Amino acid sequence: VQLQASGGGLVPAGGSLRLSCAASGGIFSINTMTWYRQVPGKAREMVAHITSGGNTVYADSVRGRFTISRDNARKTVYLQMNTLKPEDTAVYYCNVETLVGQSLAVNWGQGTQVTVSS
């Protein structure tokens, strides 16, 4: 399974970005899909999570500003980020849990840089 993340960039504070992460590479079903972010020198943190049933969980720091969604037909997860703040600057990674037969695997995308200028 390969994950291709895109949509990062440089935006001013208050701006918006939409991240995408598409899964490909075989016959599989997708369980959970999660966005994480990481700043140099700090641990990777969960930003938003969506289950196969569409239930969502958000970090306190982004709740109300970010929205996670998924398109199962396209095997893609999105992160709509609004009202961005400089502290949202990080490398964002997608994490997708896939099921192939009875085997569950956790897959990571390559990361996409988000930079919010003040």
Side-chain angles (χ1 to χ4, degrees):
V1 177
Q2 292 83 45
L3 299 180
Q4 182 65 47
S6 61
L10 171 64
V11 294
S16 297
L17 281 174
R18 187 192 195 207
L19 305 183
S20 300
C21 177
S24 63
I27 301 173
F28 54 90
S29 60
I30 296 177
N31 193 18
T32 61
M33 307 179 91
T34 309
W35 285 99
Y36 288 80
R37 67 186 180 188
Q38 188 169 25
V39 175
K42 293 190 176 181
R44 193 170 293 187
E45 64 170 349
M46 191 280 290
V47 175
H49 171 88
I50 186 166
T51 68
S52 56
N55 294 315
T56 57
V57 176
Y58 295 93
D60 290 343
S61 58
V62 307
R63 188 176 296 111
R65 300 187 297 121
F66 291 10
T67 302
I68 188 171
S69 61
R70 60 191 284 168
D71 183 332
N72 292 326
R74 296 178 185 271
K75 292 185 168 63
T76 300
V77 61
Y78 304 97
L79 186 67
Q80 178 66 44
M81 306 185 293
N82 298 328
T83 320
L84 282 160
K85 303 176 180 180
E87 51 264 42
D88 294 317
T89 296
V91 177
Y92 284 69
Y93 298 90
C94 56
N95 171 291
V96 175
E97 194 176 75
T98 58
L99 190 62
V100 180
Q102 298 298 314
S103 298
L104 196 64
V106 176
N107 308 276
W108 287 93
Q110 83 281 12
T112 184
Q113 175 71 47
V114 171
T115 303
V116 184
S117 62
S118 57

